[in-house]
Amino acid sequence: MTDHEYMQQALSLAQRAKGFTSPNPCVGAVVVKDGKVVGKGFHRAAGLAHAEVEALDDAGPRAMDATLYVTLEPCNHFGKTPPCTHKIIKAGIKKVVVGCIDPNPNVCGRGINYLKDKCIEVVSGVLEKESKLLIEEFSWYVQHDKKPFVILKCAATLDGRIATSTGDSKWITNEKSRNHVHKIRHEVDAILVGSGTLHADNPSLTSRIKGVQTKDPLRIVLDTHLSIKEDANLITRDSIAKTIIVTGPGVSREKKAVLTKKGVQILEIPLKDNRLDLNELMIKLGQMSILSLLIEGGSSVAGSALKAQIVNKVLFFLAPKFLGGSDGIPIFNGKGPLLIKDAFKLKGVMVTQFDDDIFVKGYLK
């Protein structure tokens, strides 16, 4: 097998923990000796053993003079666990193959340099693109003042409507598309909707995939005037995930007290142009160690997120149907640019299908 094939095994292991490791990145590792994999591991959750430690423990004495493949540069600092570089040296590893360098400016390259200083051969950049993609949320967070990586998800008809004029939206997309959304919910730290979606759909914002263990994201609602009902699903539905209501200044103290007693966290932020300041919200969420945020709308929130320039990645689900009128609810609400040259442009675009639904994803420049 080649370096690429062994690294692909490490990436597959890392992917198994996607959604469980935050605020740490997902990492996978395999130990190879005489052309055979003798140890495997992945980082399962923050505070637990790192991938290298799991793989080396799995290999045991067979790690002596073996090669370690790991998707992310081994750490060389003390955190909740000791440095992985020390474990690698003690195990007798002779070569380390790295997917990508740690993007944290305080760590970047130090682990590799330490291993080289100890006369261990290090090769980096094997399946680098795939390794970086796996931890894109972590990379953004540590390189951009600890602000969340924001994903905007939209589900619409071909004529760009997310609901009919009556607010009916169930279901625009098919079951496979909806299952994929639940997978994304599981992988992110938090999910955000506006009060319009809250009142129209009364969502639970949980992650539900049949036969798969998932975690619910932190549920966040933009509710300027604290209009949420006390029997809303976000408050009454059982979930270990907390609910945060983001509201403006001057809301009812009595309503805040009632919601707080029900376990809801109230987060007040200032207004900007009579709307909640989303950039200020990103700072607050980052301070809460929220690395990734999924915005599910509705149209006013989606439009505001674009205008506030907080969106990193866009996920569009397009169903092969259209309403054929101008009275449905559009994907985005508010004023757009006057010229096509000022339109929002995506890069790194990928297009796939879930049965008849078209799935488009890309990154905002």
Side-chain angles (χ1 to χ4, degrees):
M1 293 179 67
T2 65
D3 283 353
H4 281 66
E5 290 172 311
Y6 289 127
M7 188 61 73
Q8 186 58 60
Q9 287 192 35
L11 284 166
S12 296
L13 286 166
Q15 183 65 44
R16 290 167 61 179
K18 191 76 172 176
F20 293 113
T21 63
S22 185
N24 292 348
C26 295
V27 184
V30 295
V31 180
V32 177
K33 188 171 185 178
D34 299 327
K36 294 182 180 179
V37 174
V38 296
K40 298 179 180 180
F42 60 94
H43 182 46
R44 297 173 186 271
L48 299 183
H50 287 189
E52 301 95 317
V53 174
E54 276 212 350
L56 291 171
D57 285 346
D58 187 36
R62 295 172 295 179
M64 180 64 67
D65 294 325
T67 298
L68 172 69
Y69 292 82
V70 59
T71 58
L72 181 67
E73 174 186 6
C75 65
N76 189 42
H77 60 279
F78 284 89
K80 292 184 178 180
T81 59
C84 290
T85 51
H86 295 190
K87 179 82 172 181
I88 292 168
I89 293 166
K90 187 176 180 179
I93 291 290
K94 69 175 182 179
K95 180 180 178 180
V96 177
V97 180
V98 175
C100 65
I101 295 173
D102 194 318
N104 190 334
N106 297 322
V107 179
C108 183
R110 293 182 181 180
I112 289 176
N113 291 338
Y114 183 82
L115 293 173
K116 287 181 177 179
D117 289 343
K118 298 299 180 179
C119 299
I120 294 176
E121 181 184 357
V122 180
V123 176
S124 61
V126 175
L127 293 186
E128 183 177 35
K129 181 180 178 180
E130 293 85 348
S131 298
K132 286 183 175 180
L133 180 62
L134 182 69
I135 60 168
E136 61 183 2
E137 305 93 343
F138 174 78
S139 297
W140 174 267
Y141 182 81
V142 297
Q143 293 178 340
H144 293 85
D145 300 321
K146 294 187 175 180
K147 292 180 182 177
F149 182 87
V150 178
I151 304 166
L152 176 62
K153 169 255 170 182
C154 304
T157 61
L158 289 178
D159 49 354
R161 304 293 164 172
I162 62 173
T164 68
S165 59
T166 65
D168 181 43
S169 61
K170 290 182 172 57
W171 293 103
I172 288 177
T173 53
N174 62 37
E175 186 175 1
K176 282 191 176 181
S177 293
R178 299 197 299 274
N179 285 340
H180 189 68
V181 172
H182 280 277
K183 177 177 180 292
I184 296 167
R185 287 181 178 182
H186 158 74
E187 294 179 350
V188 299
D189 292 339
I191 181 172
L192 180 147
V193 298
S195 57
T197 298
L198 172 71
H199 297 309
D201 299 339
N202 192 22
S204 299
L205 302 182
T206 53
S207 176
R208 306 177 300 277
I209 305 175
K210 188 176 181 179
V212 178
Q213 180 186 1
T214 59
K215 74 155 206 347
D216 291 339
L218 179 71
R219 285 86 55 86
I220 304 173
V221 179
L222 300 181
D223 190 2
T224 307
H225 305 295
L226 206 58
S227 60
I228 187 171
K229 297 178 181 178
E230 294 172 25
D231 61 350
N233 283 336
L234 285 177
I235 298 175
T236 60
R237 184 69 59 89
D238 285 340
S239 175
I240 61 172
K242 294 181 179 180
T243 295
I244 295 178
I245 305 298
V246 183
T247 188
V251 296
S252 167
R253 291 183 180 181
E254 292 77 11
K255 183 74 172 287
K256 286 168 59 177
V258 169
L259 292 174
T260 300
K261 285 183 179 180
K262 291 179 176 291
V264 175
Q265 180 179 345
I266 307 298
L267 180 61
E268 290 188 26
I269 63 170
L271 301 181
K272 184 177 182 180
D273 299 326
N274 294 318
R275 289 184 176 274
L276 294 168
D277 189 338
L278 295 184
N279 281 287
E280 183 66 25
L281 177 59
M282 294 307 105
I283 294 173
K284 297 288 187 183
L285 297 182
Q287 292 171 348
M288 298 166 61
S289 297
I290 295 174
L291 275 62
S292 55
L293 174 68
L294 175 65
I295 297 178
E296 287 205 15
S299 57
S300 293
V301 172
S304 295
L306 286 180
K307 291 177 177 61
Q309 299 183 343
I310 63 170
V311 178
N312 300 95
K313 189 175 184 177
V314 175
L315 307 178
F316 258 73
F317 295 84
L318 292 172
K321 58 187 73 169
F322 48 89
L323 299 182
S326 60
D327 58 342
I329 299 175
I331 301 173
F332 301 105
N333 194 13
K335 292 184 177 181
L338 299 178
L339 301 174
I340 290 296
K341 69 179 183 66
D342 297 323
F344 295 95
K345 302 178 181 67
L346 293 181
K347 63 179 181 178
V349 175
M350 293 184 63
V351 181
T352 54
Q353 282 188 238
F354 293 105
D355 287 340
D356 289 338
D357 287 352
I358 301 167
F359 178 50
V360 181
K361 65 179 177 180
Y363 298 85
L364 281 175
K365 294 183 179 180

